[in-house]
Amino acid sequence: MPDAGSPEPAATEIVDADTAGADPGLSHLISAGVVTALVGFTSSFAVVLTGLRAVGATPAQAASGLMALCLTQAVGMLWLSRHYRMPLTLAWSTPGAALLAGTGAVAGGWPAAVGAFVVVGLAVVLTGLWPRLSRLIAAIPTPLAQAMLAGVLLPLCLAPVTAFRDSPAAVAPVVLTWLVLQRFSKRWAVPGAFGVAAVVIGIYLATGDATLDATALLPSLDLTVPHWTGQAMIGIAVPLYIVTMASQNIPGTAVMGAFGYRVPWRATMAVTGIGTVLGAPAGGHAINLAAISAALAAGPTAHPDPKRRWVAAFTAGCAYLVLALCSAALAALVVLAPAGVVETVAGLALLATLGGSLVAALADESDREAAVLTFLIAASGVSILGIGSAFWALLAGLAIRLMLRARPFRTAP
């Protein structure tokens, strides 16, 4: 993790507007930004809607949350990329949304979940300002954090299996499309699967009794007054903050570093944290540095010149403003989808994340037992004192790791 107390990097030289207009690679940069936004949105928006609905949001509130996430990360990308001349792309916390899906409703319902989202945003801002908190998050053993995430993801990734058993005619085309695109273009596998799912939903609407309310297609923000409860703080805020930092912000920083960019840590945490706080009343759970999709804008495929790639991130921000207008229509389609179709898309979208989490969780043999137990507890879905399994999994994993690594007592000779 970057040193939160280090000075911000200086912005690279601003490219003259006339030169940029004549750049033959400008169209490539713009297309890279659009692809970044489309892949990031279509590959995981179903996970976001599933997570928000699980913690108590109505269909309208979930659609509002999706729109709020698009708007806040779009504005954040526009400012960060333009100010620092870096391809700094943001995303919603997909692992965080999966965590919400596994947590379920808490005491206080949806307002309490919104209050937890506000706390997560404030904690992210504090992480950027307070180096000790950054070091504390970095000190959480990676195998345990990844094992917790893998356990949360497992039930969601099993959804395509159970959905195929229950509705093979509706689910089979989605899975088959995903498999084919995995072979030829992994980047478009999940978006392609969603496209086929949209066709399946359209056929279902045309041949069934379900009707689409035209007013539900109009984008709107549904504001909720935050409420704070102890269960929501422990069961949602704490694990959501840890997952967002450990699975998004820290890997996102590493991805940018691999392409030669030093992320302005304080500014990025401030922008994403404040964006999360502002978007929370409208239903946004968390925004953060993009990790996997960051390579689409920051890599050499976007443009040979690293100093020009910020245009791709800026374009992605513009594209997300457009996608925000489509969020309500997509959410409305999801509500009317036949059983299992949306869950299949969400499960397929999370398979790569699950695989990466399992590899990271089991890589260190010395932590393997603690990681496996953390995984099992998180996957169990047990709730104790109204607090979800993710928190107890991490707590138990830390305790087991400490016990197994403790030096045995030696009796005096």
Side-chain angles (χ1 to χ4, degrees), residues 281-311:
H285 65 291
I287 62 171
N288 42 244
L289 272 171
I292 298 175
S293 61
L296 298 176
T301 55
H303 196 278
D305 185 359
K307 293 183 178 180
R308 302 300 309 281
R309 295 174 194 163
W310 68 270
V311 177

Side-chain angles (χ1 to χ4, degrees), residues 82-127:
R82 180 71 175 81
H83 183 75
Y84 289 101
R85 294 301 191 275
M86 291 185 190
L88 292 166
T89 52
L90 305 182
W92 52 59
S93 177
T94 301
L99 173 73
L100 298 179
T103 300
V106 295
W110 176 242
V114 170
F117 302 161
V118 172
V119 171
V120 170
L122 294 174
V124 171
V125 174
L126 185 60
T127 303

Side-chain angles (χ1 to χ4, degrees), residues 16 175 184 191 219 231 237 244 310 411:
D16 183 76
V175 176
F184 296 102
Q231 287 183 3
T244 298
W310 68 270
T411 58

Side-chain angles (χ1 to χ4, degrees), residues 327-385:
S327 57
L330 291 171
L333 288 177
V334 166
V335 171
L336 297 175
V341 171
V342 175
E343 291 80 359
T344 296
V345 176
L348 294 175
L350 293 169
L351 282 179
T353 305
L354 174 62
S357 297
L358 287 173
V359 169
L362 302 176
D364 188 346
E365 188 175 352
S366 62
D367 283 332
R368 193 163 293 169
E369 289 81 5
V372 169
L373 289 171
T374 301
F375 167 75
L376 292 174
I377 295 171
S380 71
V382 297
S383 178
I384 303 174
L385 301 177

Side-chain angles (χ1 to χ4, degrees), residues 32-56:
V34 172
V35 168
T36 299
L38 287 176
V39 170
F41 184 94
T42 57
S43 63
S44 57
F45 84 92
V47 182
V48 171
L49 293 174
T50 301
L52 295 178
R53 292 290 303 276
V55 291

Side-chain angles (χ1 to χ4, degrees), residues 119-222:
V119 171
V120 170
L122 294 174
V124 171
V125 174
L126 185 60
T127 303
L129 297 175
W130 190 19
R132 182 171 296 179
L133 182 57
S134 297
R135 290 192 290 269
L136 179 63
I137 294 300
I140 296 175
T142 298
L144 300 190
Q146 294 297 327
M148 178 189 73
L149 177 58
V152 168
L153 294 177
L154 181 62
L156 297 174
C157 291
L158 288 173
V161 179
T162 56
F164 187 86
R165 177 199 62 194
D166 299 334
S167 306
V171 172
V174 178
V175 176
L176 183 61
T177 301
W178 178 82
L179 284 172
V180 172
L181 289 176
Q182 277 287 321
R183 172 65 177 84
F184 296 102
S185 180
K186 289 188 177 183
R187 171 188 306 177
W188 293 102
V190 175
F194 168 71
V196 174
V199 173
V200 171
I201 295 171
I203 295 173
Y204 176 77
L205 293 177
T207 59
D209 298 329
T211 57
L212 185 62
D213 184 4
T215 59
L217 304 178
L218 301 176
S220 64
L221 294 176
D222 191 324

